[in-house]
Amino acid sequence: MAAAMPLALFVLLLLGPGGWCLAEPQRDSLREELVITPLPSGDVAATFQFRTRWDSELQREGVSHYRLFPKALGQLISKYSLRELHLSFTQGFWRTRYWGPPFLQAPSDTDHYFLRYAVLPREVVCTENLTPWKKLLPCSSKAGLSVLLKADRLFHTSYHSQAVHIRPVCRNARCTSISWELRQTLSVVFDAFITGQGKKDWSLFRMFSRTLTEPCPLASESRVYVDITNYNQDNETLEVNPPPTTTYQDVILGTRKTYAIYDLLDTATINNSRNLNIQLKWKRPAENEFPPVPFLHAQRYVSGYGLQKGELSTLLYNTHPYRAFPVLLLDTVPWYLRLYVHTLTITSKGKDNKPSYIHYQPAQDRLQPHLLEMLIQLPANSVTKVSIQFERALLKWTEYTPDPNHGFYVSPSVLSALVPSMVAAKPVDWEESPLFNSLFPVSDGSNYFVRLYTEPLLVNLPTPDFSMPYNVICLTCTVVAVCYGSFYNLLTRTFHIEEPRTGGLAKRLANLIRRIRGVPLL
């Protein structure tokens, strides 16, 4: 009986104070969703979003326990007083002209004192980047939508982009308290003609080599959205299996869209075999199928000849028939391309277009690149050309890459704009709307925010012949060996005068023959 008392007291101490903590509501939550969009070009875009929200003041509170929010990122926010972070790894180029504007864009931050912007235009994205990204997820890649993230399928696509977005979110209208939001996004574009053997049909298993089996047990919401805007019930141009239980309609990026919803938390969604394989089949091709031209898209190229001077040109297209809108253009140019700012020209419809705002920060050799930011008004139904001349610098021989003849990459231009919407959007509750519609909400329903990136450029620089050092080394070694050897022999050899001998073997043989013949000797 005496031995049972300490045990009972020990159990009471464990369950007493700690048991009350279980009654407290959880201050963090997880939402995950997958949006599948058939593109007009025949490709299929898949966009994953995993949102972790934590009602905690990380910069003020001494947080030591992490449940869903990654501890590594939480400590980063607390230690460095981080306000906002957006990091992305992208392989490929989003073709806005044929695929339309992307779902995910980077946010604007106009405070130059606290903004840090960097870009690495030539970085190979591989599994070394995907694996730690998946480890930040609460369920990793064991359950939920993350089971579809198979590396060998994701990296054999036309476009691949993975990102991490961290930002504070207000809890109330006055923003007296904030929550920290972490969004992990991944976008891929599959070539349906290759994966579908020449057809536009697709399925989850055909794209990812896996199917959905169960939701993440830590997620409060787990859904799959399939874009069925082109679905015509009368003509039955396409078929979606299994049939969705509910649909969602809203104005997305200026266009009214219809999505089929598959809720993984609904037990009826996953059948008895615990397997969900969404399939889309086109019964017959759509008539007069042309990709819609977005209101804003851009193109960038480098011109000129020779290896001394050149010109950077950016074409901004506004295809709206009657509305003009401003565009914020951001350019970062490496220091070894010396810009001539006085040659900056902006023309629209054959006339000069003066920017309403311009900010230029010159480069410093081997320290920082050029920074050029402009606010340009794009007239309706026009093409605006922004061009600036540059001169190529000569690098030190140690600053060249291992393959200098391949060229040097220049980071793409960044365009930010509020594009007019074709359909006015109604105000919605952003907490209840899907994640792809609430990443960067706009209060005005007549416009939507878009951030686009142009193509990265490949510029050739004056490159020395790196085979010459080998030739010079070989020639120098040969000359040194010959000259040094001869000079060394002259300094170290000892010369002696040799007296002539009375006769040698040849002379004695000759005298022997002459004696035999009776001829006088030599």
Side-chain angles (χ1 to χ4, degrees):
M1 193 69 177
M5 289 294 293
L7 180 60
L9 180 61
F10 180 70
V11 173
L12 181 62
L13 291 176
L14 285 179
L15 299 181
W20 296 105
C21 297
L22 298 177
E24 295 181 0
Q26 299 293 345
R27 298 193 301 171
D28 52 358
S29 60
L30 170 66
R31 294 175 60 186
E32 59 178 11
E33 73 176 24
L34 167 62
V35 182
I36 302 177
T37 306
L39 302 176
S41 61
D43 302 322
V44 180
T47 304
F48 294 84
Q49 283 202 65
F50 304 89
R51 192 196 76 164
T52 304
R53 182 168 177 173
W54 194 7
D55 299 337
S56 174
E57 296 282 351
L58 293 178
Q59 297 178 349
R60 299 178 183 177
E61 302 177 2
V63 180
S64 59
H65 176 69
Y66 291 82
R67 179 174 173 263
L68 299 180
F69 203 91
K71 184 177 181 180
L73 298 181
Q75 293 177 343
L76 183 68
I77 297 173
S78 303
K79 183 175 180 180
Y80 297 101
S81 300
L82 191 66
R83 294 189 179 183
E84 202 166 338
L85 172 65
H86 301 269
L87 176 65
S88 62
F89 294 92
T90 303
Q91 184 174 1
F93 175 67
W94 183 272
R95 305 182 183 278
T96 308
R97 175 65 178 80
Y98 303 99
W99 296 345
F103 275 121
L104 308 174
Q105 308 95 7
S108 58
D109 188 350
T110 57
D111 194 343
H112 297 284
Y113 295 99
F114 298 99
L115 176 62
R116 299 294 181 267
Y117 174 79
V119 60
L120 188 61
R122 188 188 181 190
E123 173 67 18
V124 179
V125 183
C126 59
T127 55
E128 295 179 356
N129 308 114
L130 180 63
T131 301
W133 185 89
K134 292 193 296 186
K135 290 183 178 179
L136 297 177
L137 298 174
C139 289
S140 185
S141 58
K142 306 299 182 182
L145 300 178
S146 57
V147 299
L148 301 177
L149 304 179
K150 194 176 180 181
D152 61 339
R153 302 296 297 174
L154 297 179
F155 292 110
H156 287 80
T157 54
S158 303
Y159 175 84
H160 171 272
S161 178
Q162 62 186 67
V164 174
H165 305 274
I166 302 177
R167 64 177 181 178
V169 179
C170 297
R171 300 187 201 176
N172 48 42
R174 296 184 178 182
C175 203
T176 56
S177 59
I178 63 172
S179 302
W180 283 97
E181 181 188 75
L182 166 65
R183 292 210 186 196
Q184 297 179 242
T185 62
L186 189 144
S187 301
V188 290
V189 175
F190 293 92
D191 192 337
F193 288 98
I194 296 179
T195 58
Q197 299 178 353
K199 300 180 181 180
K200 297 175 63 176
D201 302 343
W202 57 264
S203 66
L204 289 182
F205 184 79
R206 184 176 295 175
M207 291 189 297
F208 301 101
S209 297
R210 292 178 179 177
T211 57
L212 296 173
T213 57
E214 60 179 346
C216 175
L218 300 176
S220 59
E221 181 179 304
S222 181
R223 295 181 178 180
V224 179
Y225 295 84
V226 179
D227 188 354
I228 57 173
T229 305
N230 297 327
Y231 174 72
N232 191 333
Q233 189 174 4
D234 298 332
N235 298 331
E236 294 184 352
T237 56
L238 58 85
E239 179 183 358
V240 182
N241 287 318
T245 57
T246 57
T247 59
Y248 173 78
Q249 292 185 356
D250 202 351
V251 178
I252 308 298
L253 297 176
T255 306
R256 186 171 298 280
K257 296 285 187 177
T258 303
Y259 295 91
I261 302 178
Y262 297 89
D263 191 356
L264 299 185
L265 297 180
D266 187 2
T267 56
T269 301
I270 300 180
N271 51 26
N272 296 330
S273 61
R274 301 182 62 84
N275 180 17
L276 176 61
N277 183 24
I278 304 176
Q279 302 178 3
L280 187 144
K281 297 181 180 180
W282 292 84
K283 293 185 176 180
R284 57 187 179 85
E287 300 179 358
N288 300 326
E289 184 179 3
F290 296 100
V293 179
F295 287 154
L296 175 64
H297 61 280
Q299 181 183 1
R300 197 184 190 200
Y301 60 91
V302 61
S303 59
Y305 59 91
L307 294 177
Q308 182 180 5
K309 296 182 179 180
E311 186 178 72
L312 295 175
S313 301
T314 305
L315 301 180
L316 309 178
Y317 294 87
N318 178 11
T319 60
H320 200 283
Y322 55 87
R323 287 195 60 178
F325 54 87
V327 170
L328 185 64
L329 177 64
L330 176 65
D331 263 334
T332 54
V333 183
W335 64 268
Y336 45 78
L337 299 183
R338 309 189 188 280
L339 297 182
Y340 295 147
V341 186
H342 69 280
T343 64
L344 177 63
T345 57
I346 305 174
T347 56
S348 300
K349 295 184 177 181
K351 299 180 181 180
D352 292 339
N353 188 343
K354 184 178 180 180
S356 56
Y357 165 79
I358 185 170
H359 169 73
Y360 174 69
Q361 181 177 344
Q364 297 182 17
D365 289 355
R366 300 171 180 85
L367 293 179
Q368 68 179 21
H370 302 270
L371 178 63
L372 180 61
E373 190 175 17
M374 297 176 291
L375 185 62
I376 306 173
Q377 187 75 13
L378 302 183
N381 196 16
S382 66
V383 179
T384 301
K385 181 179 180 180
V386 181
S387 60
I388 186 171
Q389 297 180 9
F390 64 89
E391 180 181 1
R392 296 173 172 89
L394 184 62
L395 304 180
K396 298 179 180 179
W397 72 274
T398 56
E399 295 174 343
Y400 286 92
T401 58
D403 52 347
N405 293 315
H406 177 76
F408 292 78
Y409 284 90
V410 180
S411 59
S413 300
V414 186
L415 283 74
S416 305
L418 288 176
V419 180
S421 176
M422 297 178 59
V423 182
K426 299 180 180 180
V428 295
D429 185 3
W430 299 113
E431 284 299 320
E432 300 297 331
S433 59
L435 296 179
F436 63 85
N437 195 24
S438 61
L439 184 59
F440 300 106
V442 179
S443 57
D444 186 6
S446 61
N447 300 303
Y448 61 94
F449 177 77
V450 169
R451 174 157 290 182
L452 303 178
Y453 297 86
T454 62
E455 308 91 336
L457 300 180
L458 189 62
V459 179
N460 291 324
L461 294 182
T463 304
D465 186 2
F466 284 98
S467 63
M468 286 303 296
Y470 174 77
N471 299 334
V472 170
I473 290 174
C474 293
L475 179 60
T476 303
C477 292
T478 303
V479 172
V480 168
V482 173
C483 296
Y484 177 77
S486 302
F487 189 67
Y488 180 78
N489 289 336
L490 291 176
L491 292 178
T492 59
R493 277 187 177 182
T494 302
F495 296 92
H496 301 279
I497 299 176
E498 185 178 356
E499 296 292 339
R501 299 180 180 178
T502 57
L505 178 62
K507 186 178 180 180
R508 290 195 297 269
L509 290 176
N511 289 333
L512 178 61
I513 295 174
R514 292 175 73 90
R515 185 180 293 111
I516 296 173
R517 295 176 58 187
V519 180
L521 300 178
L522 297 176

